Amino acid sequence: MNVLIIDNGSPYLKDLALCLDQIGQRHTIKRFDEDFSPSSYEKVILSGRQKNKKQINAVNSKISKICFNDEIPLLGICYGAEIIALTFGGSIQKSEYIQGLNKIRIEKPIKLLKGTHYDVYESHAYVISHLPEDFVCIASSATSKFEILCHSSKKIFGTQFHPEKSGDCGIELIHSFVNL
């Protein structure tokens, strides 16, 4: 199995690749502006980003729709979660810039994480403020009410935090995602 990582310019892209290497998961990294077909991969991960560009948003929205329609498991990290929410009718809002460890609380059981509380790494200036229809909140924190979201019937997930920077919790989440 090969996982496609969409490189949206995240400073943590190498950390994400290292997480996948650590669990023995084969992966391919493609910049958002390269030519590729998400349907050629078994799983897709949307990385975070540093700059807000219309082209990045358009490409990631298209990838999200392809994954939805073709039932390809999708994990959006930080910006990736935000673009999933926006693509399917949710909303985001500007927040204080958050960087560092944050405690999240699991509110609904999920296959990706087994515990009830985790310390995770955050680095963002936007938060998801409204979930799209058919998406549910899995985890929240004091700074974001939608730390983890998922579709109610498809294997589409988003994390407001960066699992690739969150130690054992992040490895557990990424490992569980690639083994869905």
Side-chain angles (χ1 to χ4, degrees):
M1 175 182 55
N2 197 5
V3 173
L4 172 63
I5 301 172
I6 306 301
D7 175 6
N8 294 308
S10 171
Y12 309 127
L13 187 69
K14 287 182 181 174
D15 298 294
L16 180 54
L18 284 172
C19 285
L20 290 167
D21 289 342
Q22 187 176 338
I23 61 173
Q25 178 58 58
R26 202 173 62 152
H27 57 278
T28 301
I29 299 172
K30 295 283 188 181
R31 281 186 40 87
F32 72 91
D33 55 358
E34 284 184 63
D35 189 30
F36 59 87
S37 171
S39 299
S40 300
Y41 299 87
E42 289 86 0
K43 309 259 183 346
V44 176
I45 299 175
L46 304 177
S47 81
R49 65 153 193 222
Q50 287 184 302
K51 296 180 181 173
N52 186 4
K53 293 182 179 178
K54 285 184 181 181
Q55 183 188 13
I56 294 175
N57 295 343
V59 168
N60 281 272
S61 186
K62 181 179 177 184
I63 292 166
S64 297
K65 289 176 186 174
I66 290 169
C67 289
F68 181 90
N69 291 330
D70 292 353
E71 303 214 4
I72 301 166
L74 173 66
L75 173 62
I77 296 173
C78 194
Y79 159 75
E82 295 164 8
I83 199 66
I84 288 170
L86 289 170
T87 298
F88 296 106
S91 58
I92 63 172
Q93 67 185 29
K94 193 144 181 62
S95 68
E96 281 187 42
Y97 183 71
I98 300 164
Q99 185 167 24
L101 289 178
N102 195 9
K103 186 172 285 300
I104 64 168
R105 180 181 64 253
I106 305 297
E107 299 184 5
K108 199 169 197 157
I110 186 172
K111 293 178 182 178
L112 301 184
L113 292 170
K114 293 181 178 31
T116 58
H117 292 82
Y118 292 94
D119 290 322
V120 299
Y121 184 82
E122 309 245 13
S123 180
H124 56 86
Y126 287 87
V127 294
I128 298 165
S129 55
H130 176 75
L131 288 180
E133 187 176 334
D134 295 325
F135 280 78
V136 295
C137 175
I138 299 302
S140 64
S141 72
T143 58
S144 174
K145 58 185 177 177
F146 305 116
E147 286 285 353
I148 302 176
L149 61 121
C150 76
H151 191 273
S152 59
S153 63
K154 303 213 181 227
K155 294 175 182 172
I156 298 178
F157 305 89
T159 64
Q160 188 68 74
F161 61 93
H162 288 271
E164 71 276 27
K165 297 289 287 178
S166 298
D168 291 342
C169 153
I171 294 286
E172 177 186 349
L173 186 143
I174 292 168
H175 185 265
S176 296
F177 171 74
V178 299
N179 286 297
L180 286 174

